Amino acid sequence: MKLSLSNGIFSKLRVNDNFAAVKQLGFHNIEFNMKSIKKEHDTDVYREQKALAASGLNCLTLHAAVLHVKDPIEVHQAVYYGKISLECARALGVQLMTVHSNVSKKLPRQIREQCLLKVFGEIKPFAKKLGVKLALENLSFNSTGFGKNVEQLEEVLGVIDPEGEMGITFDLSHALETNVVNELLNAYGRHVCNVHMASNGHQPFTQETPELTHFLTQLQGYGYEGPITLELKQGTSLEEIAKSKTFFDSLLKKF
Ligand SMILES: [Zn+2]
């Protein structure tokens, strides 16, 4: 398993400073979060590409810009976010993109299905063309989006991925908050391609806990060797991030 840091934590910094902050903490790998780009009026990804090359960091995954569509009128915007995220993934040489369902949990089922079909009907072929695999993330019970547990994720995947080609981004923080760690592992253990690693409320882990050991042991049992991406809440101090990194550097030697 490979330790990585979501650069969303430094999304307020300009891209060069953002990567510099990640490097200063000693990380080699990142998940590029599209929050770091002002997406409405900034689709030139050349600057990000140059900054990444200059930093020497490896970008393992990219977190798409997402919109939890609550009215079909917003579908085109969700598609646009998905496509500029894919353009950025291509520019950064990333082959795995984390996505949300992009639909609000408040939509009635039929409308939800129509929106899912429209959004992913555009994003999926574009991703395929660029050679980027999509990984659907489980959301927290308190998210505005749909897809917090196996029942909801099965509904989404049944609509957008009948071929079973998509992967899963397992967000441990969301799963702990929603109390679905085991059901998600049982259903998707073999399909996990990325992990968002944090405790409840995206707090950093700094010591071993029974839940964390259980989770990593189960993942290892499924043969997982991918990224362990620290995805931490805004405002986490540099000291706490560094402490969490030191902890995982040592813990992941066992996994
Ligand atoms: Zn996440």
Side-chain angles (χ1 to χ4, degrees):
M1 299 185 198
K2 297 168 226 157
L3 190 62
S4 180
L5 178 69
S6 164
N7 78 335
I9 186 89
F10 299 127
S11 63
K12 301 219 165 71
L13 301 179
R14 291 195 319 204
V15 67
N16 283 299
D17 299 334
N18 183 314
F19 291 158
V22 175
K23 282 204 80 172
Q24 201 136 34
L25 285 158
F27 287 91
H28 303 295
N29 305 317
I30 60 164
E31 171 163 275
F32 188 89
N33 191 306
M34 288 297 288
K35 270 195 280 185
S36 318
I37 297 185
K38 287 183 185 54
K39 49 193 172 288
E40 279 80 3
H41 44 78
D42 188 357
T43 54
D44 175 14
V45 288
Y46 182 58
R47 185 188 49 237
E48 280 69 31
Q49 190 180 40
K50 252 178 32 183
L52 182 70
S55 75
L57 289 165
N58 304 315
C59 189
L60 301 181
T61 53
L62 181 136
H63 194 310
V66 290
L67 176 71
H68 299 153
V69 168
K70 50 190 185 312
D71 185 301
I73 202 163
E74 295 173 331
V75 160
H76 73 282
Q77 202 176 355
V79 169
Y80 172 70
Y81 281 2
K83 286 191 171 175
I84 60 165
S85 302
L86 283 163
E87 293 283 7
C88 191
R90 169 166 65 179
L92 300 182
V94 180
Q95 278 153 8
L96 189 79
M97 183 167 97
T98 294
V99 292
H100 294 185
S101 67
N102 279 287
V103 286
S104 161
K105 63 184 175 192
K106 294 215 172 113
L107 283 177
R109 182 167 184 157
Q110 250 192 332
I111 311 282
R112 183 160 69 228
E113 182 173 337
Q114 288 167 13
C115 292
L116 281 168
L117 281 170
K118 282 190 189 145
V119 172
F120 285 90
E122 299 246 14
I123 294 178
K124 269 184 67 176
F126 193 51
K128 208 163 205 175
K129 197 173 116 195
L130 301 187
V132 177
K133 180 169 173 151
L134 301 178
L136 181 67
E137 176 172 1
N138 63 296
L139 303 177
S140 177
F141 75 94
N142 58 19
S143 166
T144 57
F146 186 78
K148 66 174 180 181
N149 56 21
V150 171
E151 186 191 350
Q152 296 190 356
L153 292 167
E154 281 299 286
E155 184 194 312
V156 172
L157 291 168
V159 175
I160 67 172
D161 187 41
E163 312 84 2
E165 289 171 349
M166 279 176 79
I168 294 288
T169 289
F170 195 120
D171 189 305
L172 182 60
S173 178
H174 297 164
L176 287 168
E177 287 165 0
T178 314
N179 199 19
V180 290
V181 175
N182 283 325
E183 66 166 67
L184 289 178
L185 276 170
N186 292 339
Y188 303 120
R190 273 179 198 82
H191 301 282
V192 175
C193 345
N194 185 19
V195 170
H196 283 169
M197 175 56 78
S199 183
N200 294 49
H202 292 273
Q203 300 271 359
F205 280 107
T206 52
Q207 57 185 11
E208 224 167 321
T209 68
E211 300 103 312
L212 178 60
T213 311
H214 168 75
F215 173 70
L216 289 172
T217 307
Q218 294 284 312
L219 261 190
Q220 189 178 37
Y222 287 111
Y224 185 71
E225 294 177 340
I228 297 292
T229 308
L230 304 188
E231 192 185 55
L232 306 173
K233 71 176 173 67
Q234 292 292 332
T236 306
S237 70
L238 291 176
E239 290 74 12
E240 286 174 288
I241 304 172
K243 209 169 157 189
S244 194
K245 179 182 183 293
T246 306
F247 165 63
F248 278 105
D249 276 339
S250 137
L251 182 66
L252 293 184
K253 286 186 184 132
K254 294 192 257 168
F255 294 97

